[in-house]
Amino acid sequence: MTLLQLRRGALGAGLAGTVACAIGAIWAPQEFFAAWLAAYVFWLGVPLGALALVEVHDLTGGRWALTVRPGLTASLLTLPLFILVFIPIFFFLPELYSWARPDEAAYLPNTFYLDAPFFIGRFAGYFVIWLILAAIALLRSPLDGDGASGGLGAVSGIGLVLLAFTATFAAFDWVMSLEPHWFSTMFGLIVGSGQFTTGLCVVILVALMAKRMPAPGEGPPSDRFHDLGSILLAVLLLWAYFEFMQFLIIWEEDLRDEIGWYVKRLYGPWGSVMLTIVLGHFVVPFLALIWSPVKRSRGALGAVCALVLVTGLIDVWWMVLPEFPGGFTWFAPVAAMGMGGLALALFLWRFERGLAKAERRIPAPRGVRFERGVSHG
Amino acid sequence: MSTPELYGIAAEFTTAEAVTAAARHIKNAGFRRFEAYTPMPVEALDELIAGKQVALPLLIFCFGCIGFLVGFFMQYYLAVVDYPINVGGRPLNSWPAFGPITFEITVVFAVGGAFLAWFIFNRLPRLGTPLSAIPGFERATIDRYFLCVEASDPRFDRARLRWLFERCGAHRIAEVAA
């Protein structure tokens, strides 16, 4: 399967999923918006995770960035799409958020924050910051060099702080406010580290699948993937730490206003979903990645990344969907496919152009032909 | 042919590339019990002299598992069997609350096990190796690279080793007394 075929397939799946969702939304708007929001929170991890990775790399350096460079650039360039796909939600806020329904909001103490114009204003604010950071990262890209860090200067440090705050508040706004009485200060970091994981897995998977010439100074493939596997392990540990600490604190306090969030998610069908997430998003990848040969094998590392991506999507469903009477509907996978297809098509389009540019830059050794085909790993 | 009073034959090289190439030749010639002494880590050598290294991560993992079980069941025993207290109606086996301590003890066992295993595998504490008797061996901590095939190697053969080392461009060859 070549990149072009994959891109056409992604675009087809994206359009089909989006159209199916749009038609279904006529009959079941709330179910559609719940699924659309979950898909949004999941796929936004692609550009946001890439942004965080670029800035972390700028601070710490490392050869691994050379391996994922084309993927990171393409991920950053998908960011504008995520402004577009959120716009329908603005027109139907009361379908999603009880604070946007005047009769229910009357009892809320925090309506100054949970207020439609302010909500939209904050959305604009987050994207202004993210777009500026992404633009700086792309224009002054340290990734064009030899893998050394420092090209962004002070921007990367300040950028990471800004990113942590904006991602936290974005998670508060979009997901936590679904239940306006419930709060957890750690929630933003849980969603944010989940998005970081998504972004990282996508660029690793793409780097594993794309057959291309290594950039100068990149080192042998097994070493490069070993580093990426170690980073994935660290990020998963961070995610698990946040997730467990929130659960531990709320479980120990057992307060009426807080425990309800977990009661909805720990019992019944969502309880087994949670076990799936714990196993697939932490236990299995953890045990696999502490074993060095897994990190050195394309197939095994790819399988771990795929598992983490799938369970990451299930994790977002587990956070968003129990708040709605409809729960899990056919909209959830179709919306994820629709938005993911569109994002992937855009991603692959930029990725291909990035590869073509990189090939022009690296002088080809005689007798070696560049391959741009993508095979399923 | 092993000689009892001999520890091995050592060769001195001036570059990391030379010692790596020599180690590769020695390994290809069928020798297994050899060790390199270098002023800084030479990554390629790790893979040539490996064998024992595979055991260390596995050992650390086992120590971690033991720590996990010890950490969890210590708390389980205290809270459920030895001194059960009703804390606000929570179950006696409050496993989420055991989490942080279980994690800490897992880490202590894994790190402690790693340290212990590292100590034993390196045959510490000892003040030196038989190679310390070679004049100029202290340069192994400065700018020289030593490779020593031990006499306990089943294929040990003095003449053959000397010939191999010479072909590999050894700067100096010395017999090491046990």
Side-chain angles (χ1 to χ4, degrees), chain B residues 115-175:
Chain B
F115 181 74
L116 210 69
W118 175 84
F119 220 75
I120 293 167
F121 283 162
N122 284 317
R123 283 171 263 172
L124 289 172
R126 57 174 181 169
L127 297 174
T129 78
L131 272 78
S132 310
I134 309 173
F137 181 66
E138 69 278 2
R139 289 186 74 177
T141 63
I142 306 167
D143 61 351
R144 287 290 155 90
Y145 305 81
F146 287 81
L147 195 66
C148 176
V149 179
E150 290 159 29
S152 52
D153 192 292
R155 290 177 175 231
F156 189 80
D157 178 337
R158 236 184 277 198
R160 181 149 179 260
L161 275 166
R162 276 186 172 277
W163 177 75
L164 265 171
F165 280 144
E166 267 165 29
R167 275 191 56 202
C168 292
H171 180 68
R172 210 152 57 93
I173 298 170
E175 294 193 358

Side-chain angles (χ1 to χ4, degrees), chain A residues 12 21 28 50 67 69 79 82 98 133 159 176 220 229 244 275 278 298 303 310 312 362 366:
Chain A
C21 279
T67 310
R69 176 172 64 192
L79 192 55
F82 290 92
S98 64
L133 289 176
M176 203 166 89
F244 178 73
L275 278 183
V278 171
R298 270 172 195 260
V310 171
I362 303 168
R366 263 189 314 160

Side-chain angles (χ1 to χ4, degrees), chain A residues 257-270:
Chain A
D257 286 347
E258 294 184 7
I259 196 73
W261 196 85
Y262 274 110
V263 170
K264 274 182 217 165
R265 286 164 177 80
L266 285 185
Y267 298 100
W270 288 115

Side-chain angles (χ1 to χ4, degrees), chain B residues 67-131:
Chain B
F68 181 88
L69 294 174
V70 168
F72 186 85
F73 284 103
M74 176 189 73
Q75 295 173 85
Y76 181 88
Y77 172 76
L78 289 174
V80 179
V81 182
D82 191 44
Y83 206 85
I85 301 179
N86 183 339
V87 183
R90 287 176 187 77
L92 290 176
N93 178 20
S94 289
W95 59 266
F98 300 166
I101 303 293
T102 307
F103 171 74
E104 302 290 351
I105 294 187
T106 307
V107 172
V108 163
F109 268 67
V111 175
F115 181 74
L116 210 69
W118 175 84
F119 220 75
I120 293 167
F121 283 162
N122 284 317
R123 283 171 263 172
L124 289 172
R126 57 174 181 169
L127 297 174
T129 78
L131 272 78

Side-chain angles (χ1 to χ4, degrees), chain A residues 268-331:
Chain A
W270 288 115
S272 26
V273 171
M274 190 209 62
L275 278 183
T276 315
I277 297 165
V278 171
L279 282 176
H281 207 263
F282 180 65
V283 177
V284 174
F286 173 79
L287 291 177
L289 289 175
I290 57 172
W291 198 43
S292 194
V294 170
K295 289 187 276 194
R296 293 182 173 274
S297 133
R298 270 172 195 260
L301 185 60
V304 171
C305 284
L307 176 69
V308 171
L309 276 180
V310 171
T311 48
L313 178 61
I314 296 174
D315 180 41
V316 176
W317 286 340
W318 178 81
M319 284 193 282
V320 172
L321 298 179
E323 292 301 334
F324 297 93
F328 183 87
T329 54
W330 65 268
F331 280 109

Side-chain angles (χ1 to χ4, degrees), chain A:
Chain A
M1 202 180 207
T2 64
L3 270 181
L4 185 67
Q5 283 168 321
L6 194 65
R7 197 174 83 211
R8 284 192 181 141
L11 190 62
L15 290 176
T18 312
V19 169
C21 279
I23 295 171
I26 298 169
W27 288 280
Q30 192 183 48
E31 282 80 357
F32 160 71
F33 280 110
W36 195 249
L37 178 70
Y40 184 83
V41 172
F42 177 71
W43 289 113
L44 185 62
V46 174
L48 285 194
L51 188 54
L53 269 174
V54 168
E55 302 199 328
V56 167
H57 174 263
D58 191 61
L59 287 174
T60 62
R63 279 191 308 180
W64 56 268
L66 290 169
T67 310
V68 290
R69 176 172 64 192
L72 285 176
T73 309
S75 295
L76 285 179
L77 287 165
T78 61
L79 192 55
L81 175 74
F82 290 92
I83 303 176
L84 213 62
V85 292
F86 201 84
I87 287 174
I89 294 179
F90 289 146
F91 296 99
F92 295 92
L93 283 179
E95 293 290 347
L96 277 177
Y97 300 106
S98 64
W99 50 261
R101 298 192 275 269
D103 49 328
E104 288 173 59
Y107 303 101
L108 288 175
N110 47 353
T111 44
F112 80 94
Y113 187 84
L114 296 177
D115 164 73
F118 192 20
F119 179 89
I120 296 169
R122 287 195 305 267
F123 178 91
Y126 304 146
F127 268 91
V128 167
I129 291 172
W130 295 340
L131 287 171
I132 290 174
L133 289 176
I136 294 172
L138 287 170
L139 293 175
R140 296 175 60 184
S141 176
L143 305 176
D144 276 342
D146 52 358
S149 61
L152 292 179
V155 174
S156 51
I158 298 165
L160 272 178
V161 174
L162 280 175
L163 197 58
F165 273 103
T166 47
T168 293
F169 278 95
F172 287 174
D173 284 7
W174 304 338
V175 186
M176 203 166 89
S177 80
L178 288 170
E179 166 53 272
H181 292 282
W182 184 75
F183 68 94
S184 162
T185 45
M186 210 180 263
F187 190 76
L189 292 175
I190 294 177
V191 175
S193 60
Q195 287 171 330
F196 192 17
T197 319
T198 306
L200 179 61
C201 282
V202 166
V203 290
I204 295 179
L205 265 183
V206 170
L208 285 168
M209 290 196 298
K211 289 198 194 99
R212 61 179 186 87
M213 283 294 293
E218 208 176 324
S222 58
D223 283 0
R224 293 184 268 131
F225 292 122
H226 188 273
D227 290 349
L228 289 166
S230 302
I231 295 171
L232 178 60
L233 178 61
V235 177
L236 284 174
L237 280 170
L238 186 72
W239 173 85
Y241 169 77
F242 289 145
E243 192 82 79
F244 178 73
M245 279 301 157
Q246 175 184 284
F247 169 71
L248 176 65
I249 291 166
I250 292 179
W251 183 88
E252 287 215 333
E253 291 175 342
D254 202 18
L255 295 176
R256 199 187 56 186
D257 286 347
E258 294 184 7
I259 196 73
W261 196 85
Y262 274 110
V263 170
K264 274 182 217 165
R265 286 164 177 80
L266 285 185
Y267 298 100
W270 288 115
S272 26
V273 171
M274 190 209 62
L275 278 183
T276 315
I277 297 165
V278 171
L279 282 176
H281 207 263
F282 180 65
V283 177
V284 174
F286 173 79
L287 291 177
L289 289 175
I290 57 172
W291 198 43
S292 194
V294 170
K295 289 187 276 194
R296 293 182 173 274
S297 133
R298 270 172 195 260
L301 185 60
V304 171
C305 284
L307 176 69
V308 171
L309 276 180
V310 171
T311 48
L313 178 61
I314 296 174
D315 180 41
V316 176
W317 286 340
W318 178 81
M319 284 193 282
V320 172
L321 298 179
E323 292 301 334
F324 297 93
F328 183 87
T329 54
W330 65 268
F331 280 109
V334 175
M337 182 186 87
M339 201 184 293
L342 293 181
L344 187 64
L346 181 60
F347 173 92
L348 289 172
W349 179 53
R350 307 307 312 208
F351 183 69
E352 215 170 344
R353 291 181 52 156
L355 280 192
K357 220 166 118 187
E359 278 170 23
R360 280 200 300 276
R361 211 168 36 229
I362 303 168
R366 263 189 314 160
V368 176
R369 210 173 59 81
F370 287 103
E371 274 185 84
R372 261 203 287 157
V374 164
S375 66
H376 276 291

